[in-house]
């Protein structure tokens, strides 16, 4: 698990660099890498990413809690 976490963090650093440089092709590659390592880490720790996301973001606006969003200011 520790090594997978380190790979995940390294990919986040590479994504940060791609974003800083505004390198679209590299950003796409690094987003994919970050997602893959995040999924791998969650799997190793027994976390169901889909269920975790649904629980935290149940299809409503995270600010006003409504669907569709009724926030006066759009974020």
């Amino acid at each position: 698990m520790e090594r997978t976490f380190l790979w995940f963090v390294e990919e986040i650093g590479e994504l940060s660099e791609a974003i800083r440089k505004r390198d679209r092709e590299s950003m796409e590659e690094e987003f994919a890498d970050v997602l893959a390592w995040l999924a791998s880490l969650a799997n190793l720790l027994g976390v169901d990413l889909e269920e975790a996301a649904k629980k935290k973001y149940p299809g409503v606006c995270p600010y006003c809690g409504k669907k569709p969003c009724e926030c006066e200011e759009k974020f």
Side-chain angles (χ1 to χ4, degrees):
M1 188 267 312
E2 291 83 7
R3 291 174 68 172
T4 300
F5 181 74
L6 290 174
W7 277 107
F8 173 65
V9 171
E10 181 176 327
E11 293 300 338
I12 291 173
E14 291 175 6
L15 174 60
S16 175
E17 183 73 10
I19 291 170
R20 189 183 65 74
K21 291 180 177 179
R22 303 227 185 268
D23 181 337
R24 180 72 180 195
E25 186 175 336
S26 289
M27 282 191 278
E28 290 175 2
E29 289 178 14
E30 298 308 331
F31 271 116
D33 288 345
V34 167
L35 181 61
W37 285 106
L38 176 65
S40 294
L41 187 59
N43 185 54
L44 287 172
L45 295 170
V47 174
D48 184 322
L49 281 179
E50 183 178 5
E51 288 303 313
K54 285 179 183 178
K55 183 178 177 183
K56 181 156 184 160
Y57 303 106
V60 298
C61 174
Y63 300 104
C64 70
K66 305 257 170 80
K67 180 179 179 179
C69 175
E70 295 180 8
C71 293
E72 290 185 27
E73 280 188 49
K74 297 297 177 186
F75 297 93

